Amino acid sequence: MGGIGKTTLAKKVYDHFPIRYHFDIFVWVTISQEFQYRNVLLEALHCVSKKNPKEYDEMYDNELADLVQKSLKGPRYLVVVDDIWSTDVWDSISQIFPNRNNGSRVLLTTRETDVAIYANTSNPHKMNLLDLDNSWKLLRDKVFGLEHDHPPELEEIGKKIAEKCQGLPLIISVKSLLVIQINA
Ligand SMILES: Nc1ncnc2c1ncn2[C@@H]1O[C@H](COP(=O)(O)OP(=O)(O)O)[C@@H](O)[C@H]1O
Ligand SMILES: [Mg+2]
């Protein structure tokens, strides 16, 4: 589901120090709905190379793909492919990431269970909606900040607002901005 927190969780994993420690090279590509193979290659190159992106303007897609593959061949890589929509898209980009059997990993996020299974994830992690308690905690922290207590008289109405967010962090984030604006 959109807004359930897939990108947020993937970013936490990607940035988590004990995880980073296991890898030598890091690539993050976001797949938009208007998928463009070339953009994925450019995004990947941006992560692995310090070259001026202008240098890629004159190159063909297969040359760019070659560059990405070469830079991922030696080191142990962690690649995040965020928000992949279809198995076709996975088919067109999966060969960019060589399987070296050296502990490298591709972590992908998707709204579609069949894409997760197709991409050979033996045990996809399914995200759950937040329960009411965690919805309220998220709303409270977003509105008042982690370091401040919330005014106790606002707890009842706050919980009612949280309940209306149906456990989706995205709705809670948007609602928290509205509450902050009304307060300002
Ligand atoms: N566990 C969480 N705690 C706090 N905020 C979260 C959490 N999960 C998601 N969010 C917030 O909810 C919004 C949507 O999350 P996102 O990761 O973009 O969802 P998705 O990738 O599934 O569409 C973002 O603003 C993010 O900051
Ligand atoms: Mg996302």
Side-chain angles (χ1 to χ4, degrees):
M1 195 183 285
I4 204 167
K6 300 179 296 298
T7 303
T8 306
L9 180 59
K11 188 81 176 72
K12 281 212 164 173
V13 171
Y14 189 75
D15 290 339
H16 191 56
F17 181 72
I19 287 178
R20 288 190 89 81
Y21 185 76
H22 283 280
F23 298 96
D24 308 309
I25 192 163
F26 302 87
V27 172
W28 181 289
V29 290
T30 303
I31 312 293
S32 64
Q33 239 175 319
E34 301 84 38
F35 165 70
Q36 287 196 351
Y37 180 60
R38 190 175 178 87
N39 285 348
V40 171
L41 295 170
L42 291 173
E43 235 186 298
L45 283 169
H46 176 75
C47 299
V48 298
S49 154
K50 291 191 176 70
K51 277 192 186 163
N52 185 339
K54 284 232 170 307
E55 291 185 38
Y56 305 129
D57 285 354
E58 305 292 308
M59 295 172 74
Y60 292 111
D61 289 1
N62 62 328
E63 293 174 305
L64 297 177
D66 220 37
L67 281 183
V68 178
Q69 279 172 334
K70 279 202 182 112
S71 56
L72 297 180
K73 248 178 191 155
R76 191 146 49 157
Y77 64 76
L78 174 61
V79 172
V80 174
V81 180
D82 188 31
D83 216 5
I84 185 160
W85 281 76
S86 76
T87 53
D88 287 350
V89 172
W90 176 246
D91 276 342
S92 49
I93 62 170
S94 57
Q95 82 284 355
I96 306 171
F97 311 117
N99 187 353
R100 305 292 297 166
N101 250 338
N102 67 349
S104 293
R105 286 289 181 273
V106 178
L107 188 159
L108 63 87
T109 77
T110 179
R111 300 173 196 204
E112 311 291 339
T113 309
D114 60 327
V115 176
I117 291 166
Y118 181 79
N120 196 16
T121 39
S122 46
N123 191 13
H125 174 70
K126 194 170 178 316
M127 307 278 304
N128 293 315
L129 295 167
L130 299 177
D131 61 19
L132 181 55
D133 196 35
N134 281 316
S135 295
W136 157 239
K137 280 185 186 151
L138 180 55
L139 181 68
R140 182 193 68 190
D141 292 346
K142 290 225 178 231
V143 172
F144 300 105
L146 282 172
E147 63 284 358
H148 295 110
D149 287 339
H150 64 280
E153 67 275 17
L154 293 184
E155 183 157 331
E156 195 184 329
I157 182 81
K159 284 186 173 167
K160 280 191 182 142
I161 295 171
E163 198 175 359
K164 288 197 184 300
C165 297
Q166 299 157 7
L168 261 187
L170 178 64
I171 302 184
I172 296 170
S173 292
V174 173
K175 280 260 163 43
S176 71
L177 291 174
L178 291 175
V179 172
I180 291 167
Q181 276 171 6
I182 290 165
N183 266 350

